[in-house]
Amino acid sequence: MRLRALLDTPGLGLRLLGGEDELDRAVRGVMTTDLKDPSRYLAGGELVLTGLAWRHEPADSERFVRILADAGVAALGAGEAELAGIPDDVVEACARHRLPLFAVDESVAFASITEHVVRQVSGERAGDLAAVVERHRRMMTAGPAGGGPDVVLELLGSDLDLRAWVLSPAGRLIAGPKDAGASLAPEVRTRLAAEHLAAARAGRRAPHRVTAAGVTYSLFPVRAAERSGRPARREAAPAGPALADWLLAVQADAAEWPDARLDLVNGVTQLVAVERERREAGRTVRRRLAQELLELVQAGAAPGEIAARLRVAAPVLLPGLDAAPDWQVVVARVEWQGAEEGAEGARRAQALLEELLADPSAAGPEPSDRLAVAVAGEEAVALVPLPPSGDEARGVAEETGAADRRPEGLSAESLLAAVREPLAAGLGDEGRVTLGVSAAVHSAEGLRGALEEARHARRVAAARPGAVCAAGHQELASHVLLLPFVPDDVRRAFTARLLDPLREYDGRHRAELIPTLEAFLEADGSWTRCAARLHLHVNTLRYRVGRIEQLTGRDLSRLEDKLDFFLALRMS
């Protein structure tokens, strides 16, 4: 507000004693003081109210007014009650320093003036910021976003003095203040993300108040705009999809905020949501590439055809990299109590992987663009490019700026450590996420093996207790590690030679030779344990094993034949 507006408000009881030429100064706040030197509490632009208790002699006025002028205050308001009027030395000092001076009638409380100024200034700030936000909204809706979420957060900081950060569901920093003093520690980001997902799961209304490391934050979900264009205010999103939602963390307690400010910050979340929707549109290309690759691999396409498709994907995911990248596969499944599985569960896993697989230490939205995620049945399959192995290739990657922060690729342990706490809070007892991570492969020939390896690892993770579980290729048994790399025609021939005679016999006689073989191997060849497991007499078991040996020409007392049957069953 302007100083002139104070004179136009009769209820404030102000009389101008000097500084008529300065009445267009802006007032940014108000401060009441009787300190001789209040400079440490002044930021500039204040209306300073004083009862003149600091004045003991005329020389005090010059010193006090000079301090105010040097601090850049807007004006001085002096109360008339203490000295029965404003001393001339105060008026003269203000005139020398071009500081507007108001006399405050003794019937008017300083608190009334303070309340009026604060209300006006806050309203103007909110109105000005709302106008800026609305302009930025139109700009982002009509064309490319200039600066993305960072621009909007800068508006919050400069106009409302609010520090705010945009975080991923795992607590990765998407956007935040530029000054180093405003950074959030990783453990704080993780805590905020966990509280956000827990609140979404419980259906609590936003904003959510959280205290982390002694600081209070208010959390706002970042969701797509409604058809009306208004924010989805204070409505809880379904817990399942919320696993992949971004959040806006504001360093403030929003519990006492007026509706106007809440609406404003919810509007800011909508601007961030617009930016995320743009990135979602960009993911369409990467998803299509991943889906085509996955279908080729699963259909047993020739390595040359897969390699050609990989060459198309590589520059999209790792632009500027001259050498062919290595590849890694991550498989995820999301299970939710009471929710239909299948395609819907796979899409949830797809959106979640796109957020989780970005390097937690890499800020900004771009790192999540360096992978492609497809769906297959009830699983999501992520294709993650890595800078190529080898010293020469690594040097090319570093020169082009495309070197990954983790050149060795993802590990199940680090991935689990980064996502377990927030996801577990969002899942509660109602959901489950299981992840499998393959080793890095260097060519199209290895991609099928990496896919099956990641799927095996996810099944290993699924066998463990807990809401969030992950397993990597290092944890797989040796035969599981080798089987995915066996060519399909060899696998089919091997299993057919050993198992087809048993399947045909079972089909004709219902003899259950295949289940008997599986139980016999699981019992390590123990006749007694196997018979007890199958609820058979030992003689019946011996008859069935004899029939298996007769049909296949193998001897189940020999380790080599037992191993062949074991591998055949695993590959079938």
Side-chain angles (χ1 to χ4, degrees), residues 167-168 170-173 184-194 360-361:
L167 304 178
S168 80
R172 191 176 67 83
L173 182 64
L184 284 178
E187 58 271 17
V188 173
R189 299 201 308 266
T190 300
R191 168 77 188 287
L192 296 180
S361 64

Side-chain angles (χ1 to χ4, degrees), residues 171-185:
R172 191 176 67 83
L173 182 64
I174 304 296
K178 298 300 183 185
D179 55 304
S183 60
L184 284 178

Side-chain angles (χ1 to χ4, degrees), residues 318-323 393-403:
L318 283 179
L321 190 66
D322 294 336
R394 186 78 64 203
V396 171
E398 292 173 353
E399 288 176 7
T400 57

Side-chain angles (χ1 to χ4, degrees), residues 356 403 426 443 460 490 524:
L356 297 185
S443 64
V460 169
V490 175
D524 296 327

Side-chain angles (χ1 to χ4, degrees), residues 64-259:
F64 184 81
V65 172
R66 185 176 66 251
I67 290 172
L68 299 189
D70 290 345
V73 303
L76 174 64
E80 296 182 313
E82 183 74 18
L83 300 178
I86 309 300
D88 291 341
D89 49 89
V90 174
V91 177
E92 293 167 1
C94 287
R96 283 193 296 274
H97 292 280
R98 301 181 62 84
L99 182 66
L101 174 64
F102 296 96
V104 181
D105 190 272
E106 62 182 1
S107 65
V108 178
F110 283 173
S112 299
I113 299 174
T114 299
E115 181 181 352
H116 175 80
V117 172
V118 169
R119 185 168 58 248
Q120 293 298 315
V121 169
S122 297
E124 289 177 3
R125 282 186 177 180
D128 290 345
L129 182 58
V132 174
V133 167
E134 182 58 32
R135 288 196 299 274
H136 197 71
R137 184 197 302 276
R138 291 197 297 268
M139 179 185 72
M140 293 179 75
T141 304
D150 291 302
V151 172
V152 186
L153 299 188
E154 288 174 8
L155 293 176
L156 283 178
S158 61
D159 286 62
L160 288 185
D161 197 25
L162 291 176
R163 285 182 172 180
W165 300 262
V166 178
L167 304 178
S168 80
R172 191 176 67 83
L173 182 64
I174 304 296
K178 298 300 183 185
D179 55 304
S183 60
L184 284 178
E187 58 271 17
V188 173
R189 299 201 308 266
T190 300
R191 168 77 188 287
L192 296 180
E195 293 290 344
H196 158 68
L197 291 180
R201 174 177 57 82
R204 298 202 302 270
R205 291 182 176 182
H208 316 303
R209 183 179 182 276
V210 179
T211 300
V215 179
T216 299
Y217 300 88
S218 296
L219 308 182
F220 297 79
V222 174
R223 301 179 188 137
E226 296 177 344
R227 291 183 182 274
S228 65
R230 292 182 60 81
R233 185 179 173 211
R234 295 178 180 173
E235 296 293 335
L243 287 176
D245 281 354
W246 287 359
L247 71 141
L248 177 70
V250 182
Q251 187 177 313
D253 187 351
E256 303 300 326
W257 283 1
D259 285 346

Side-chain angles (χ1 to χ4, degrees), residues 433-508:
V433 172
T434 51
L435 302 153
V437 182
S438 80
V441 296
H442 316 301
S443 64
E445 288 83 352
L447 205 55
R448 176 177 174 80
L451 173 61
E452 295 205 24
E453 190 176 78
R455 282 176 166 161
H456 278 302
R458 194 205 64 77
R459 287 194 286 270
V460 169
R464 297 170 176 168
V468 186
C469 296
H473 61 94
Q474 303 94 333
E475 302 175 60
L476 304 183
S478 59
H479 72 277
V480 177
L481 186 61
L482 292 172
L483 290 184
F485 298 95
V486 177
D488 285 347
D489 54 348
V490 175
R491 293 155 66 99
R492 286 191 291 267
F494 182 75
T495 57
R497 188 178 302 116
L498 283 173
L499 301 182
D500 280 2
L502 306 183
R503 293 192 181 107
E504 292 170 3
Y505 191 87
D506 282 347
R508 293 196 306 269

Side-chain angles (χ1 to χ4, degrees), residues 286 349 357:
R286 298 191 295 277
L357 293 184

